[in-house]
Amino acid sequence: MTQSVSYEVLEGIVKVIFLLLNFVRRTATLLVFLLMLAFLILSHTSGLVASVTTAAIRAATGLASASSTFLATKSGLENELYEMRIKSNNQAKAIDQLERNNTRLTRNNQLATTRLTSLEAENRKLKDDLRVSFRGKKMSTKAAVAQVNGSLQARTKRVAATNLASVAGESIPFYGIAIIAAATSYELKSACDTMSDLYDLEVSLNPDAASDGGRDYVCGLQVPTKEEIWQSTKTSPRAAWQTAVAAYDGSTDWVSNLESPDFSGKWSSLKGWVSGWLD
């Protein structure tokens, strides 16, 4: 009987020991799992832990961790966003400059229209039957003025509409050179036609005092090609900038205060890139 009891006690003790060992094993497994989960979360949320993890992984395997790859990708995207913002600001400045140029051209056209209006007011003082020779045809002064006025108004509308329509294309960096050259050619052609109209009208009203110097000067101006424009800019960008600023000297106060751009650094790489497209 004593031996049976001892065996049962021993068996119970062994069972308790196995239960304790099993509990310890499960508890240790759970703790290890929780520690691994916590370390995984910290490695993706804590910069310090991520750095330590990255250093350990690189030391052991020579490979970068997913966290370091993510951080590098994030940094690259932030740099690209910063550069895009700079380009956007530059384009906004270019658009603003083109709008001011368009305002100036519109003002010049308005001045031409004002001059024509003044001529019409003077001609109203003449008799309706006063006839002049306008472009080889005999007609009244009123008819000659009306013809010129109609041409100027239609041309002014076309020039204004063309300027507005080309603003977006001209604002594209470098690629807009061709559009700028085309728009300038159109404006010079319109200015030449306007000067010719005014000269012909002046000849019909006062042949002895008519002068074709202004007309010949405007009509003799030549617009360089996009290749010539780029060649001039590429060869001497600072001189091109100074020449452009000097052309507006006295017309607007803010032009003389413009700061010259920095044509070093990134300008060399941009020049090489654009040359591959334009040259």
Side-chain angles (χ1 to χ4, degrees):
M1 182 68 177
T2 302
Q3 292 179 350
S4 177
V5 171
S6 299
Y7 177 77
E8 291 177 353
V9 171
L10 182 61
E11 184 180 9
I13 292 173
V14 172
K15 288 182 178 181
V16 170
I17 291 173
F18 273 105
L19 289 174
L20 288 174
L21 289 175
N22 189 38
F23 175 76
V24 171
R25 180 181 62 80
R26 290 182 177 181
T27 304
T29 302
L30 179 61
L31 288 176
V32 171
F33 174 76
L34 292 176
L35 287 174
M36 290 179 65
L37 179 61
F39 181 78
L40 179 62
I41 294 174
L42 287 174
S43 67
H44 285 78
T45 58
S46 173
L48 178 60
V49 175
S51 299
V52 173
T53 305
T54 301
I57 293 175
R58 285 179 176 174
T61 65
L63 299 176
S65 67
S67 176
S68 64
T69 302
F70 170 76
L71 293 176
T73 302
K74 179 182 178 183
S75 177
L77 291 175
E78 288 176 347
N79 290 336
E80 290 181 6
L81 179 60
Y82 177 73
E83 292 178 358
M84 290 179 64
R85 286 176 177 172
I86 292 178
K87 291 180 180 179
S88 177
N89 291 335
N90 291 338
Q91 289 180 354
K93 292 179 181 178
I95 290 174
D96 184 59
Q97 176 65 41
L98 290 171
E99 288 177 347
R100 286 194 290 266
N101 291 343
N102 182 68
T103 300
R104 175 184 55 81
L105 293 173
T106 302
R107 188 182 301 112
N108 291 340
N109 286 330
Q110 290 174 346
L111 291 175
T113 303
T114 301
R115 181 184 177 188
L116 181 60
T117 302
S118 177
L119 290 173
E120 289 178 333
E122 293 178 1
N123 288 332
R124 289 192 187 97
K125 299 178 182 179
L126 300 176
K127 295 180 180 180
D128 292 338
D129 59 348
L130 180 61
R131 301 180 67 81
V132 295
S133 177
F134 182 69
R135 292 175 177 171
K137 297 180 179 180
K138 286 291 185 178
M139 63 181 69
S140 66
T141 302
K142 182 182 294 186
V145 171
Q147 184 173 332
V148 173
N149 182 49
S151 298
L152 287 178
Q153 288 186 4
R155 190 177 301 119
T156 300
K157 291 179 181 178
R158 290 195 301 270
V159 170
T162 302
N163 283 332
L164 289 176
S166 63
V167 165
E170 293 176 352
S171 67
I172 300 175
F174 301 108
Y175 289 93
I177 293 177
I179 298 178
I180 293 173
T184 304
S185 297
Y186 178 75
E187 291 168 4
L188 281 180
K189 174 62 168 57
S190 298
C192 175
D193 293 340
T194 298
M195 295 296 290
S196 297
D197 287 342
L198 294 175
Y199 172 74
D200 291 341
L201 181 62
E202 189 174 13
V203 167
S204 66
L205 297 176
N206 191 1
D208 296 332
S211 173
D212 59 356
R215 180 199 62 180
D216 293 343
Y217 172 79
V218 173
C219 295
L221 294 175
Q222 297 292 326
V223 178
T225 63
K226 64 182 181 64
E227 290 80 8
E228 292 172 340
I229 294 174
W230 171 239
Q231 183 63 33
S232 175
T233 304
K234 179 178 67 174
T235 303
S236 182
R238 191 174 304 279
W241 171 268
Q242 293 174 349
T243 300
V245 171
Y248 294 100
D249 186 28
S251 59
T252 52
D253 295 335
W254 59 268
V255 172
S256 59
N257 297 324
L258 284 176
E259 183 179 355
S260 178
D262 182 12
F263 293 105
S264 61
K266 288 188 176 181
W267 170 254
S268 299
S269 60
L270 286 174
K271 181 175 66 175
W273 176 74
V274 177
S275 295
W277 178 72
L278 290 177
D279 291 347

